[in-house]
Amino acid sequence: MARNKYDIDETLQTEFNFSHLKRLGAYIKPYRKELLITIFFVSISSMLGLLTPIFLMQIMDDYIPNKNIKAIILVSILQLVIFLLISVILSFKISLTSKIGQNIIHNIRSDIFEHLQALPFSYYDDKPHGKIQVRVVNYVNSLSDLLSNGIVNTITDLFSLLFIIGFMLIVNVKLTLICLLGLPLLIIIIFIIKKKQRVAWQISSNKSSNLNAYIAESINGIRVTQSFTREQENIKIFNTLSNDYRLAWIKAVKLNFLMWPAIDNISTWSYVAVYVVGISWLDNSMQGITAGVIIAMTGYIGRFWAPVNTLASFYNSILTAVSYLERIFETIDEPVLVKDCEEAIEMPAIKGEVVFKDVTFSYEDGVKILNGINFHSAIGDSVAIVGPTGAGKTTIINLISRFYNLDSGEITIDGVDISKATIKSLRKQMGIMMQDSFIFTGTIIDNIRYGNMEATDEQVIKAAKTVHAHDFIINLEDGYQTQVNERGTRLSVGQRQLISFARALVADPKILILDEATSSIDTQTEILLQEGLSKLLQNRTSFIIAHRLSTIKNCTFIMYVDGGSIKEMGSHDELLDLKGSYYELYMSQYKFLEKE
């Protein structure tokens, strides 16, 4: 798939619309009370700050000419008190808005992660994991400043703008109108660069996503990279992707920075116009212009364009955030294809009868992986699935666990159609060991208990002993409390498989699924493991995929799968007597072992 590459830009499935901002508002709504309180106090501080030019006008036009020193001192003290009060309010605002912003960020990130837990394997099959991770971390983080300060600053600056215009009109109406002449020009500039900004930030987010995807892939494959001395080639690829992101980010930032010089220039022109017109009217008593009026107006002009600049910055932030919101909500809106139906029932206690009825399945439209699979396994049967690579063996066991939806057909367990049962109640009664023996960061005992969080230490140790993992575990520095890293890099491949085996068994499942469970275990350990499992598998239905045919000779029946269908089915001896595909596979292994 084209999307499943680090060097291919993602394309949005839907166009942005302002309903995305409405959805963002739903995350803000629970904190509206705190935000309103903050806005109220910040608005008061803003209004108090606007008294300064009035004080200056009064001092220039009245107190200084009349040499009223006492009034000047009182105004100075009042101004100091106002500044202290504004400082306290701003400190309160910073503390509260930061807390609110981070709470909202946490809620958005939690929703994305929760949704990712429910998405089917097909979603992860189709997208590099780095491109998923960047949405949960980087994109959400990019909204932090917008949510922490942008909203409160914007609302309070809107109020400030109204207050400023009100004070300016009180001081002088004509000079106020002159100052406002620059607004239409600014609005035109905003609309010109708006679309370019959104596209630029979309491209930047694409390049960031590509870079993160490659970094994640490189870290996961570092052993292969160093084994084949691919470091220099990987550095070249990284530098190319990093440079693409750098150039895209610079272009987006340049568009953002167009707003500031535009406002700065318009602000400067307003100053000049007010000074020129104001001074020319200074001696005209009809205009009511005094030195104090000019000083007050120029003071307000600076304050007028400051919130305009903030509003323009917020507008920039919105356009930047839009490119991230599109990706975030696209992820949250990704359909959960494998989910409980409306009338789903709790899966009864499983006994272990599994039936496939004309099961057809494909990962992609038009490319069938399984075509008309039919079989019946009774309670307690051990079913082996063999065949060439890509035949559909793993797909069959994935469908039993309902990791994918069927194209057609039906799978029943104890007569219950699994598509009609809740996923949680189905999977909780299964023990599954995949080909990838994934080990999580934490202790060994927690990794084994992952399959059943209610398991006691004794049950964990019993499972470990059954799969012969106990001996190597107790020889580690802290035994079962030994800390292991992500993917279990401190452990050998065989040790990781044994831990994964114990994890599957500690769930005490009625259906046990083993996909190449012994592929990385030495022959001696495998013999011991088979001895322990022979007892454990009694009264359990098990499905086993194994390339070592010697390990499945005692299974109830064996299915030879090829080309998406079951070519042969029977016991080990029955299939040998057929002298068909299974016979040829077995004999090829037998001859190979004889040569050894």
Side-chain angles (χ1 to χ4, degrees):
M1 297 284 291
R3 293 173 65 198
N4 196 21
K5 296 181 68 178
Y6 61 79
D7 57 348
I8 298 294
D9 290 345
E10 296 177 276
T11 55
L12 284 169
Q13 304 303 307
T14 57
E15 288 294 323
F16 176 80
N17 57 65
F18 280 93
S19 65
H20 287 17
L21 294 178
K22 185 177 180 181
R23 290 178 66 176
L24 181 62
Y27 287 97
I28 300 171
K29 189 175 180 181
Y31 304 97
R32 61 186 181 277
K33 182 179 178 181
E34 292 89 339
L35 287 172
L36 287 173
I37 292 172
T38 305
I39 290 167
F40 173 74
F41 282 107
V42 174
S43 297
I44 289 176
S45 74
S46 177
M47 192 161 55
L48 290 173
L50 295 177
L51 293 175
T52 301
I54 296 290
F55 291 160
L56 287 173
M57 183 178 70
Q58 192 71 22
I59 290 171
M60 290 292 294
D61 291 344
D62 184 6
Y63 300 155
I64 290 178
N66 296 318
K67 297 181 181 181
N68 190 345
I69 306 300
K70 183 178 179 181
I72 293 174
I73 294 172
L74 288 174
V75 168
S76 300
I77 294 171
L78 180 60
Q79 187 68 57
L80 179 61
V81 172
I82 288 173
F83 282 154
L84 291 173
L85 186 59
I86 290 173
S87 298
V88 172
I89 292 174
L90 289 180
S91 176
F92 165 76
K93 172 244 180 184
I94 292 170
S95 175
L96 188 58
T97 54
S98 296
K99 181 179 178 181
I100 292 170
Q102 287 307 308
N103 285 343
I104 295 170
I105 290 295
H106 167 75
N107 293 338
I108 294 173
R109 184 177 288 122
S110 179
D111 282 354
I112 297 177
F113 187 77
E114 183 178 340
H115 191 68
L116 288 173
Q117 301 300 297
L119 289 177
F121 285 1
S122 56
Y123 176 78
Y124 299 95
D125 294 340
D126 186 43
K127 190 181 292 292
H129 294 173
K131 291 192 177 185
I132 300 172
Q133 181 177 319
V134 74
R135 298 181 181 215
V136 181
V137 182
N138 301 48
Y139 290 176
V140 176
N141 283 345
S142 298
L143 302 176
S144 180
D145 186 59
L146 173 69
L147 295 171
S148 296
N149 296 304
I151 294 171
V152 170
N153 287 348
T154 300
I155 295 174
T156 54
D157 282 340
L158 278 172
F159 284 122
S160 295
L161 206 55
L162 295 175
F163 295 150
I164 291 168
I165 293 172
F167 277 100
M168 289 171 71
L169 289 171
I170 291 170
V171 173
N172 191 276
V173 175
K174 292 180 180 179
L175 291 180
T176 300
L177 295 176
I178 291 172
C179 178
L180 295 178
L181 287 176
L183 278 180
L185 179 60
L186 180 62
I187 292 170
I188 291 171
I189 293 172
I190 289 173
F191 275 96
I192 290 174
I193 65 174
K194 177 183 70 172
K195 187 174 182 181
K196 292 182 179 179
Q197 279 181 299
R198 183 198 172 207
V199 172
W201 282 111
Q202 279 183 341
I203 294 172
S204 177
S205 67
N206 281 338
K207 301 306 180 184
S208 171
S209 180
N210 293 346
L211 181 60
N212 275 273
Y214 187 70
I215 291 172
E217 181 180 292
S218 298
I219 292 172
N220 288 332
I222 191 65
R223 293 177 184 272
V224 177
T225 295
Q226 294 184 359
S227 298
F228 288 91
T229 62
R230 278 265 308 186
E231 293 92 340
Q232 292 304 314
E233 184 65 26
N234 286 7
I235 290 171
K236 289 179 183 178
I237 295 172
F238 172 84
N239 286 336
T240 299
L241 294 172
S242 182
N243 191 54
D244 288 344
Y245 173 54
R246 179 180 66 86
L247 294 175
W249 186 85
I250 289 173
K251 184 176 180 180
V253 169
K254 280 182 178 178
L255 287 170
N256 268 19
F257 284 166
L258 285 177
M259 195 72 71
W260 172 78
I263 294 172
D264 195 49
N265 275 281
I266 295 172
S267 173
T268 301
W269 298 339
S270 298
Y271 272 115
V272 171
V274 168
Y275 272 121
V276 170
V277 175
I279 291 173
S280 66
W281 288 348
L282 194 58
D283 295 329
N284 189 338
S285 59
M286 297 294 293
Q287 302 297 335
I289 303 296
T290 64
V293 168
I294 294 175
I295 290 173
M297 286 301 299
T298 53
Y300 282 126
I301 289 173
R303 285 169 168 78
F304 174 80
W305 288 105
V308 170
N309 196 17
T310 302
L311 292 172
S313 297
F314 178 74
Y315 182 75
N316 277 337
S317 299
I318 285 288
L319 290 176
T320 304
V322 159
S323 63
Y324 299 124
L325 282 174
E326 288 169 325
R327 305 294 183 184
I328 291 168
F329 288 133
E330 183 191 44
T331 304
I332 293 176
D333 292 340
E334 190 72 31
V336 180
L337 301 177
V338 180
K339 59 183 178 180
D340 296 339
C341 65
E342 291 184 3
E343 298 179 355
I345 62 170
E346 290 290 309
M347 189 72 189
I350 290 177
K351 297 177 181 177
E353 180 188 40
V354 179
V355 179
F356 272 54
K357 301 176 184 178
D358 295 319
V359 170
T360 301
F361 174 78
S362 56
Y363 292 106
E364 300 177 35
D365 291 339
V367 184
K368 289 186 178 180
I369 303 299
L370 299 179
N371 189 14
I373 298 292
N374 289 278
F375 69 84
H376 172 269
S377 64
I379 298 171
D381 279 355
S382 54
V383 181
I385 307 173
V386 300
T389 301
K393 304 184 296 295
T394 299
T395 301
I396 290 175
I397 62 172
N398 280 339
L399 294 180
I400 297 173
S401 306
R402 210 186 155 209
F403 290 132
Y404 299 90
N405 288 326
L406 305 180
D407 291 350
S408 62
E410 184 182 69
I411 301 174
T412 64
I413 295 178
D414 301 335
V416 177
D417 184 347
I418 62 172
S419 67
K420 303 294 191 297
T422 62
I423 294 172
K424 185 176 181 179
S425 66
L426 172 68
R427 293 177 186 166
K428 278 184 72 70
Q429 300 188 65
M430 292 185 177
I432 305 169
M433 181 177 170
M434 300 292 189
Q435 289 174 327
D436 182 14
S437 303
F438 195 94
I439 301 297
F440 297 90
T441 300
T443 63
I444 288 179
I445 196 167
D446 285 341
N447 264 280
I448 297 175
R449 191 181 277 121
Y450 195 87
N452 179 8
M453 297 306 294
E454 297 178 359
T456 63
D457 290 355
E458 290 74 18
Q459 289 172 317
V460 170
I461 293 171
K462 181 180 178 181
K465 287 181 176 178
T466 301
V467 301
H468 294 276
H470 178 73
D471 291 340
F472 89 79
I473 292 174
I474 60 173
N475 286 324
L476 296 173
E477 64 268 26
D478 295 315
Y480 283 86
Q481 298 302 323
T482 300
Q483 293 282 338
V484 289
N485 301 325
E486 180 185 355
R487 304 191 71 87
T489 51
R490 295 183 58 190
L491 305 171
S492 70
V493 177
Q495 288 173 334
R496 293 201 296 270
Q497 279 201 314
L498 289 176
I499 289 175
S500 296
F501 219 141
R503 178 193 296 159
L505 299 183
V506 80
D508 192 24
K510 285 299 181 180
I511 295 179
L512 187 61
I513 296 175
L514 309 176
D515 188 353
E516 292 296 337
T518 61
S519 61
S520 299
I521 299 172
D522 61 85
T523 305
Q524 186 61 38
T525 303
E526 184 180 7
I527 293 172
L528 295 172
L529 181 60
Q530 291 295 336
E531 291 175 1
L533 287 179
S534 61
K535 295 182 179 178
L536 184 69
L537 295 180
Q538 290 178 3
N539 301 319
R540 299 178 195 272
T541 302
S542 58
F543 292 86
I544 305 168
I545 296 177
H547 286 298
R548 295 182 192 173
L549 301 186
S550 59
T551 64
I552 60 171
K553 291 168 62 175
N554 297 323
C555 286
T556 309
F557 65 91
I558 300 167
M559 297 189 298
Y560 186 92
V561 179
D562 192 13
S565 60
I566 300 173
K567 302 297 184 183
E568 298 174 4
M569 187 186 303
S571 67
H572 173 73
D573 292 334
E574 289 171 345
L575 294 181
L576 288 182
D577 290 340
L578 283 177
K579 295 188 181 299
S581 299
Y582 179 80
Y583 173 82
E584 292 176 3
L585 181 64
Y586 182 79
M587 293 307 294
S588 66
Q589 287 194 11
Y590 182 73
K591 289 177 182 178
F592 177 79
L593 291 173
E594 274 191 333
K595 290 178 182 180
E596 292 291 318

